Every structure is written in structure tokens, then in C-alpha cells.
Amino acid sequence: EKKVVLITGCSSGIGLSLAVRLASEPSKTFKVYATMRNLAKKERLLECVKDLHQGTLEILQMDVTDRQSIMQAKDMIVEKRVDILVCNAGVGLVGPLEVQHLDSMRHILEVNLLGTIQTIQAFLSEMKARRQGHILVTGSTGGLHGLPFNDMYCASKFAIEGACESLAVLLQHFNIHVSLIECGPVNTDFLVNLQKAELGDPSLQQVDTQTLSLYEKYLQHCSSVFQNAAQDTEDIVKVFLTAIQSSSPALRYFTGSVVPPLTDPKLTQPDGLQYIRAMSKIIFSSEEQ
Ligand code: NAD
């Protein structure tokens, strides 16, 4: 019997790569429901998966901020169960906090936090009843440590950590596993899709010059990190596969080498001062301290 997988946010990036990989397994182990908010974007997925997906791939519409659309997608699952739920849909928001509109801040929480939680909610009762399931969430190093100019993104991703860790404690009693796949920078459409204040935007006129100069440094740092250290989605998919294939999956998997030096001071120095200094040095280097 095939394992039934449902993935959110499959029109690009990590979700697309994972859907392609699982649906093209030669052993046909998985039946993949690749969901996306906008079905008009399904061509890219279909091109990538070619003709390797006979009987292993269905594409469904699902907007994770819309409960009805989640329920409609759920109704379309012919097996009437999901063995592996991958909550991957997410958006970014970058810029000085004082210029962020309430609507943008609400939106990122709607998608990243409530979207993830609503999706889990929709499938939780059945998983509990069957005493089986694996919930995987695309996490971020921005959910483990703060990043300047990413206040709301980090807030949304930290919140997911709390929700998943809390659920994991309970769900082990139901033989349901929760795994966060913690990614550093990944080459996807994320940077294109994210809402970013550009230098020169009228909205930045009200921002003080010191913040703007630090923001400029942040943007340079960010583009060089993405150019030099970003992973490909295939690397991330490998980590998903490790988690999916494990008989006792962990709560957290790390996809790259970027994490430990930054999380270490958080664990060893809980007052946070060392972390704040280290991060500031990494991002703003020359000017600080
Ligand atoms: P991406 O922009 O290519 O993919 C995100 C997907 O989510 C898109 O297909 C988008 O259409 C979809 N989406 C957005 N709002 C949605 C909604 N309301 N309902 C359903 N789908 C929606 O970027 P990605 O890098 O593949 O992002 C996937 C996940 O990885 C996100 O949760 C992101 O936070 C996380 N992540 C990405 C990076 C990175 O550097 N790319 C790093 C850490 C974590």
C-alpha cells in the first residue's frame, strides 16, 4: 500500500522538489497530493515530474489561509487518509519594523503560523484515530535565532517551533511523529516572493539614516550569503527523505552546516548577550563594536 503524502506550497521551491522526488520514486512507494494556492502555476511541477508520476501524483488547490480550501482538498483524497503531512507553504517579510504595515504583518502570521496550524488541525483527528502519522514542517534557522530586519518572519517561525514542540510531546502517545526540517538559505523563489522594503522605497523615507545604513549592510550580507552558501532544493529534499524514512523520526533535522555556530551561544549563554553580539558582527561586521 502506498504512503499517502500531502504537501503544501508546491508551485515552486522546496515543496515542488519534494513533490517531484516522492512522486517519481521508481518503487512507487508514495501517492503524493501536491497542493498549491494557485493551480494556474501547476505547469512547472508537471514539467519537472515529466511522465514519471503515473498513479503517484495529484495536484490540488489549497490556500493554507483558507479553511474551506483546506477542507475541499482533504475531501479530494481518495484514500481518505494522509500518512505524511508536509506543511511547507511560507512567505517572507523583510525591512525595518517601523515601516511594516499591520496587513503585511498579519499576512505573514496568517500564512506561516496559522496556515501551518490550520493544516495540521485538519488532519489531526484522523491521524490520532489511526494512531499513525508523520507531520513534517519546513522550519528555518530564522525560527531558532533572531535575524535583524526579519522580525516578523522570525516571530512566525519561532512560533512554529513552539507549536510543533508542544504537539510532539502529546502526539508521541498516538504514534504520530512531528519533524521540523530546519533550513538555512535555499535557492528557491523565496527571495523573489518575499515582501521586501527596497532601498529608495518611499516607505523608507521616514526611517533614520543609521537604520538605513545598517539595512543596506544587511541586504548586502543577505545577497552574498544566498550567492555563496545557499543550498539547492535537492539537498533539502534529501533531509526530508531521511526524516520520512526513519523508524523513529527526530523533532529537528538540520539541512546544512550554518546552524551550530549560531545556536551554540544561545544554548550556552541563555542571557542572549553573546548571541546578539555575534550575530551583529556577522551581519554588520566592520561598523559594530
Ligand atoms: P518559495 O517561495 O519557492 O515557496 C513557497 C511556496 O509557498 C510558494 O509556492 C508559494 O506559492 C506558497 N504559498 C505562499 N502562500 C501560500 C498560501 N497562502 N497557501 C498555499 N501556499 C502558499 O520558497 P521556499 O524556499 O521553497 O519556501 C518553502 C518553505 O521553506 C517556507 O516555509 C520558507 O519559510 C522555508 N524556508 C525557506 C528558506 C529559503 O532560504 N528559501 C530558508 C528557510 C526556510
Side-chain angles (χ1 to χ4, degrees):
E1 202 178 41
K2 285 190 178 66
K3 293 233 181 247
V4 179
V5 188
L6 185 138
I7 310 171
T8 66
C10 290
S11 62
S12 59
I14 297 167
L16 183 149
S17 281
L18 182 63
V20 169
R21 175 67 196 269
L22 295 179
S24 343
E25 280 283 300
S27 56
K28 297 197 180 284
T29 315
F30 302 101
K31 167 74 176 284
V32 180
Y33 289 89
T35 73
M36 56 185 73
R37 184 183 33 177
N38 182 0
L39 281 183
K41 293 189 179 167
K42 72 178 180 191
E43 291 311 319
R44 194 159 152 195
L45 171 59
L46 286 172
E47 267 166 37
C48 292
V49 83
K50 300 195 190 75
D51 53 0
L52 299 168
H53 62 280
Q54 298 313 322
T56 60
L57 181 74
E58 293 289 338
I59 300 177
L60 299 177
Q61 195 275 337
M62 191 198 280
D63 178 339
V64 298
T65 65
D66 177 354
R67 190 160 183 82
Q68 207 187 337
S69 122
I70 299 174
M71 289 310 173
Q72 277 168 359
K74 187 181 167 189
D75 283 344
M76 303 286 283
I77 299 172
V78 286
E79 295 80 2
K80 297 291 165 213
R81 67 167 204 282
V82 167
D83 300 306
I84 299 166
L85 175 65
V86 182
C87 300
N88 164 77
V91 291
L93 180 64
V94 171
L97 186 64
E98 55 271 43
V99 305
Q100 303 300 351
H101 289 285
L102 188 55
D103 283 346
S104 314
M105 298 195 287
R106 278 212 175 102
H107 181 69
I108 191 171
L109 293 176
E110 290 278 340
V111 178
N112 292 5
L113 175 57
L114 295 176
T116 299
I117 288 180
Q118 276 203 109
T119 308
I120 294 173
Q121 270 185 320
F123 295 95
L124 197 54
S125 299
E126 284 85 349
M127 281 188 175
K128 278 180 164 174
R130 294 175 43 241
R131 305 190 77 82
Q132 197 186 49
H134 194 175
I135 299 166
L136 296 105
V137 177
T138 312
S140 172
T141 51
L144 303 170
H145 53 67
L147 293 164
F149 301 111
N150 283 269
D151 317 270
M152 288 308 299
Y153 180 71
C154 289
S156 73
K157 292 291 184 181
F158 267 66
I160 292 202
E161 294 286 322
C164 288
E165 198 171 273
S166 303
L167 268 173
V169 178
L170 178 74
L171 293 183
Q172 63 177 342
H173 295 281
F174 294 86
N175 189 37
I176 300 169
H177 302 283
V178 181
S179 298
L180 285 149
I181 311 300
E182 313 285 17
C183 307
V186 190
N187 285 314
T188 65
D189 287 355
F190 191 74
L191 285 189
V192 180
N193 289 338
L194 69 68
Q195 279 195 63
K196 184 170 85 177
E198 302 286 353
L199 293 166
D201 276 3
S203 69
L204 291 185
Q205 276 169 12
Q206 48 166 303
V207 176
D208 66 276
T209 51
Q210 187 177 4
T211 302
L212 285 181
S213 105
L214 292 167
Y215 187 44
E216 194 172 356
K217 286 198 171 200
Y218 164 77
L219 291 176
Q220 283 163 3
H221 168 84
C222 193
S223 71
S224 90
V225 163
F226 268 87
Q227 263 167 38
N228 302 323
Q231 291 185 288
D232 289 326
T233 54
E234 285 73 23
D235 302 326
I236 310 301
V237 166
K238 277 184 200 152
V239 182
F240 268 98
L241 275 174
T242 303
I244 286 171
Q245 285 161 353
S246 168
S247 54
S248 53
L251 175 59
R252 291 193 183 85
Y253 290 83
F254 298 95
T255 66
S257 56
V258 277
V259 175
L262 289 170
T263 44
D264 279 357
K266 281 202 61 151
L267 299 174
T268 55
Q269 306 279 318
D271 74 8
L273 291 174
Q274 201 190 327
Y275 172 74
I276 290 168
R277 276 193 217 109
M279 195 51 167
S280 180
K281 211 169 180 180
I282 288 169
I283 291 184
F284 307 122
S285 53
S286 54
E287 208 175 66
E288 293 294 296
Q289 274 91 50

